Amino acid sequence: MKKIVIMGATSGIGEHVAESLAATGWRVGVAGRKVDRMKALKEMFPDSIEWEAIDITKSEAPRKLLSLIRKIGGMDIYFHVAGIGFFDPKLDIQREVDTAETNVVGFTRMIDTAFHYFRNVGKGHIAIISSVAGTKGIGEIAAYSASKRYQQNYIEALEQLSRMHGLKIAFTDIRPGWVRTPLLDPDRKYPMTMKEGEVVPMILKALKKRTRIAVIDRRWAAAVFFWRLIPGRLWVKIPVTLSKPAEKPSEVAICLLYTSPSPRDRTR
């Protein structure tokens, strides 16, 4: 029986992945801050799911992760979904710091704990949900886009470290575009949105195949390809905005104007 710990399994993508895997016989450890949601998952799958309340910004989070691993009898995959982000064109200092503390400091705390665990047991698989927003620095979501770039570079560095020490640890970086969740404003229009029901099967496929980098979906993969072609000196001169597009925006405008998984305050 495969065993997975999902950090950030109390809403959205993480919760749906937990449900899908538990329904197909996986042993699933769910972690997050919403105790009621974890209890509900446990009631749905009493023989498959264990849970632990974990706030990744707290120093005790690694100890609680190891406790959850013991509850499910080990861990084959650590899947990090937890994170926050804000649409912050005014650059509110507290919001930017909160984002960094969760998506950088908290992320590092938990990924390192998983890395040490897998190094000790001899093998494993670390997977994360980052974002297409990590492709370029985006002014209106500065901390969010920068933190996602950090996450992408960090697991790349850990993969190199793993190879240097002959460790059998696989890494998967899943980069979604906009996923239609309750956190998206229903009164706004977004290009290339996806429903959770469409996204979760693609994520499960990437996890099971141990895909190194999976951009969700093909449309966003194409957009990311073209973003990468724009030199940094040109990118910073482009007035990238997350506002609603004009009535008839060009294809290029869509690629430039819409860059974040969510223009509202949001969490994964």
Side-chain angles (χ1 to χ4, degrees):
M1 182 182 294
K2 285 285 189 178
K3 305 176 184 70
I4 185 172
V5 169
I6 304 175
M7 187 64 59
T10 57
S11 64
I13 290 173
E15 184 175 9
H16 281 80
V17 169
E19 290 177 357
S20 297
L21 292 177
T24 56
W26 284 58
R27 187 83 167 135
V28 183
V30 296
R33 295 185 297 179
K34 299 176 183 177
V35 172
D36 58 332
R37 293 305 308 147
M38 292 187 287
K39 287 182 176 179
L41 286 170
K42 175 66 174 176
E43 290 178 1
M44 290 171 62
F45 304 99
D47 298 325
S48 300
I49 283 182
E50 299 293 341
W51 63 272
E52 187 80 36
I54 300 178
D55 181 344
I56 65 173
T57 67
K58 304 299 183 181
S59 60
E60 68 268 17
R63 174 179 57 80
K64 289 190 172 185
L65 171 58
L66 294 175
S67 173
L68 180 57
I69 293 170
R70 289 192 293 271
K71 286 181 180 179
I72 64 172
M75 179 172 70
D76 299 306
I77 303 176
Y78 175 77
F79 186 29
H80 193 95
V81 187
I84 65 171
F86 300 97
F87 172 64
D88 192 19
K90 294 183 178 180
L91 206 67
D92 179 273
I93 294 175
Q94 192 58 55
R95 286 185 168 190
E96 298 296 284
V97 170
D98 287 347
T99 300
E101 286 182 345
T102 299
N103 295 359
V104 176
V105 179
F107 171 87
T108 304
R109 178 180 287 118
M110 306 317 294
I111 293 295
D112 285 7
T113 303
F115 185 91
H116 289 310
Y117 173 84
F118 288 136
R119 179 172 61 185
N120 291 335
V121 300
K123 62 179 179 179
H125 181 190
I126 294 175
I128 69 169
I129 293 285
S130 65
S131 172
V132 296
T135 307
K136 291 285 188 181
I138 302 169
E140 291 186 336
I141 50 170
Y144 181 76
S145 62
S147 68
K148 291 303 177 179
R149 175 71 68 86
Y150 172 88
Q151 293 178 359
Q152 294 165 5
N153 286 353
Y154 197 78
I155 67 164
E156 181 179 63
L158 290 192
E159 182 177 23
Q160 183 186 67
L161 183 64
S162 176
R163 301 299 175 265
M164 289 170 62
H165 292 278
L167 305 177
K168 296 180 180 180
I169 303 176
F171 295 85
T172 294
D173 178 2
I174 300 171
R175 305 176 182 180
W178 286 359
V179 181
R180 176 62 68 177
T181 70
L183 295 170
L184 285 180
D185 187 343
D187 296 326
R188 295 177 63 98
K189 294 181 180 179
Y190 312 102
M192 301 190 293
T193 56
M194 297 165 285
K195 297 179 181 179
E196 288 183 17
E198 299 169 334
V199 170
V200 169
M202 289 185 276
I203 290 174
L204 292 173
K205 181 178 179 181
L207 288 175
K208 293 174 182 179
K209 294 183 68 175
R210 296 190 171 194
T211 304
R212 178 59 186 83
I213 297 175
V215 180
I216 309 294
D217 58 0
R218 292 182 180 179
R219 298 167 299 168
W220 281 105
V224 167
F225 173 80
F226 287 109
W227 291 350
R228 291 188 182 279
L229 297 179
I230 302 174
R233 63 182 181 277
L234 176 58
W235 177 263
V236 298
K237 296 178 181 179
I238 299 172
V240 177
T241 178
L242 303 179
S243 60
K244 187 176 179 180
E247 291 184 1
K248 296 181 179 180
S250 66
E251 293 293 329
V252 174
I254 288 177
C255 289
L256 294 179
L257 291 172
Y258 286 82
T259 53
S260 167
S262 171
R264 299 179 66 198
D265 297 359
R266 42 131 7 237
T267 62
R268 287 193 188 283

